[in-house]
Amino acid sequence: MDNKLFLLIIAFIFILSGCSNGSVKDTKSTESNKDTLTVAWPRDIGEMNPHIYNPSQLFAQSMVYEPLVSYGDNGELVAHLAKSWDISKDGKEYVFHLRQDVEFSDGTSFNAEIVNKNFESILKNIDIHSWLGFISKIENTEVIDEYTFKFTLTEPYYPTIQELAVVRPVRFLGEAGFPKDGDTSKGVEKPMGTGPWILEDYKVDEYATFKRNDNYWGDIPNVEQIKVKIIPDAETRVLAFEKGDLDLLYGEGVISIDSYKQLEATGSYKTSISEPVATRQLVMNTTVEQLSDERVRQALHYGFNKEAMVDGVTSGLEEKADYILPTNLPYTSNVTATKVNYNTKKAEALLDEAGWKLTKGNTIREKNGEPLTIELMYNTAETIQKTMAETLQSEWAGIGVQLNIVGVDLTTQVERFKANEFEMNFFSNYGAPYDPHTFANIIATEGFGFNEAISAYSDKNELLNKIAMVTKTTDEQERQKLYTEILGSLQEQGAIVPISYIKQIGIYQKNISNFTFSANRDEDPFKGIKKNQQ
């Protein structure tokens, strides 16, 4: 479990990481025209292989390759390449009835045989993919008939359908894309998918051009081409947008908040902000003596003005979070937990009650001669984390707590969190379609930061038992009850402090319309976009 979940963390931590990859033949760039949507991305799109991770970029993979099931608004799981599915009463057998009107972009049929071949390639490399819970539970796969596919699990695992909606690795490569030995872990012959886009031109670290798949089985995209310019520097991306060389900037971190607000203020562009995709959290390690007392953890929560901090640091693009997971995720809307409002008097009273006293002439509270000093780790590449850390340092000084802030690189942050070498750390959950089950699994992973964060919880063993039960239950009402109890208890005892709801942002030229964010955090938003005449 430990290694599997660490693989998950690494896969997501580097979700946008990229480097050049020459698996797709370079060709000359296609010049933009009035029916080409031009966007920028910080990294090369990577090898367009549906079954591998870095350096392949999620948005690009989602343009070409499709899932059996899609993740829709409000967590609804929607038929996609599978028009329907049946699950046995014991939760182990899954039978998928495939669409019969789907072809790969070379005209070959999508059917149960090719679905099975893709699964076989994935299962040959199960260690790479075992972070995805249902993969390691597959006992066998079976072609029932031309358009019926079945797999059987070793035990019930309710998130199976939800995990089939993720962008990788369970998406489908056509026969022409497979290497001779059928093992896609080392590369593909060509990026052959069933999706609405086909990779047409590609020059490593410079651009990728996707043309519309006019034989697509679903709704045909409105624009003929998507051109992705690889522009690593954030300021250069903004300048290119202002010049009109780009139609759209979107996502998380592709444009800074300051640049976004400045462009928005001109009134020359259209803007969009997504629903919450994740919660920015502050995680406290309760194995550390200062944080082992729930009263101290609660005092720290009461001791900073969350709403003012979030509004000031993110210019209102994020919103104060009351819950540790966004309430637009499955099973989260009924969670009840105390909404903590800024109250320094209450914070001070809780610290006094816990024995941390502020004596005359001192600015830092003490207990048994030891000062109340805590270290907060943040990622130096995340300006929001740094600014929030500085704000917390200032606010907590006002209630007699000395916060030392330490900036580290992303890899070090992950390693220290996993090794339990932290006192406080910033984190955010993975969002749709991974949560809440992935977040719950991480909590239960021994040797990873969250498991240590809840070490002092009075009901830790009960919580872990509920987490073990929740993915196995086949009763929907029982599952909802378990999640309500798990998420409520995790938050009430104060080791996980919700700070803000993270959102995606988009800014685009005024001749662009029908821009919407996907419910799946990793999917591209291009299919419905229209580009009108200037």
Side-chain angles (χ1 to χ4, degrees), residues 89-120:
K89 287 184 178 179
D90 66 1
K92 294 182 181 181
E93 294 184 354
Y94 289 74
V95 177
F96 296 89
H97 307 283
L98 308 179
R99 297 187 65 96
Q100 298 181 27
D101 57 348
V102 178
E103 293 182 346
F104 288 93
S105 56
D106 64 349
T108 57
S109 293
F110 171 80
N111 53 37
E113 288 287 352
I114 197 67
V115 169
N116 195 58
K117 184 168 185 174
N118 276 263
F119 268 91
E120 286 177 343

Side-chain angles (χ1 to χ4, degrees), residues 31-239:
E31 290 300 318
S32 296
N33 59 49
K34 64 182 180 182
D35 209 20
T36 296
L37 183 80
T38 305
V39 302
W41 203 250
R43 298 167 182 84
D44 185 79
I45 62 167
E47 181 185 0
M48 290 292 294
N49 183 339
H51 303 156
I52 65 164
Y53 304 94
N54 299 312
S56 295
Q57 299 295 290
L58 287 155
F59 84 92
Q61 288 169 300
S62 76
M63 294 172 70
V64 173
Y65 302 109
E66 296 187 293
L68 293 173
V69 180
S70 288
Y71 187 94
D73 293 335
N74 301 312
E76 182 184 4
L77 295 168
V78 183
H80 202 95
L81 293 180
K83 62 182 180 181
S84 64
W85 56 89
D86 303 310
I87 306 172
S88 62
K89 287 184 178 179
D90 66 1
K92 294 182 181 181
E93 294 184 354
Y94 289 74
V95 177
F96 296 89
H97 307 283
L98 308 179
R99 297 187 65 96
Q100 298 181 27
D101 57 348
V102 178
E103 293 182 346
F104 288 93
S105 56
D106 64 349
T108 57
S109 293
F110 171 80
N111 53 37
E113 288 287 352
I114 197 67
V115 169
N116 195 58
K117 184 168 185 174
N118 276 263
F119 268 91
E120 286 177 343
S121 184
I122 292 164
L123 293 172
K124 279 180 184 177
N125 300 284
I126 197 165
D127 289 344
I128 301 174
H129 307 303
S130 59
W131 64 270
L132 198 61
F134 89 98
I135 293 289
S136 60
K137 302 180 193 301
I138 294 178
E139 187 173 58
N140 59 64
T141 64
E142 183 180 351
V143 175
I144 303 298
D145 59 37
E146 186 175 5
Y147 293 106
T148 311
F149 170 74
K150 173 184 175 181
F151 62 71
T152 304
L153 304 181
T154 56
E155 64 181 18
Y157 182 71
Y158 97 81
T160 295
I161 296 296
Q162 194 165 326
E163 290 187 352
L164 283 169
V166 304
V167 168
R168 57 194 182 196
V170 191
R171 296 208 174 188
F172 300 97
L173 180 70
E175 184 66 43
F178 277 87
K180 289 182 180 179
D181 63 1
D183 184 358
T184 54
S185 68
K186 298 173 185 177
V188 297
E189 292 298 312
K190 58 180 68 174
M192 187 67 63
T194 62
W197 305 101
I198 301 168
L199 181 62
E200 183 179 43
D201 288 343
Y202 171 42
K203 188 167 185 180
V204 178
D205 289 331
E206 290 191 23
Y207 65 84
T209 301
F210 296 84
K211 71 176 181 179
R212 181 172 64 197
N213 180 1
D214 288 325
N215 296 316
Y216 182 56
W217 62 270
D219 293 333
I220 303 294
N222 291 307
V223 297
E224 292 180 2
Q225 290 188 131
I226 304 289
K227 182 164 186 177
V228 182
K229 292 186 176 182
I230 310 306
I231 306 178
D233 181 67
E235 291 185 10
T236 305
R237 289 195 293 273
V238 171
L239 289 172

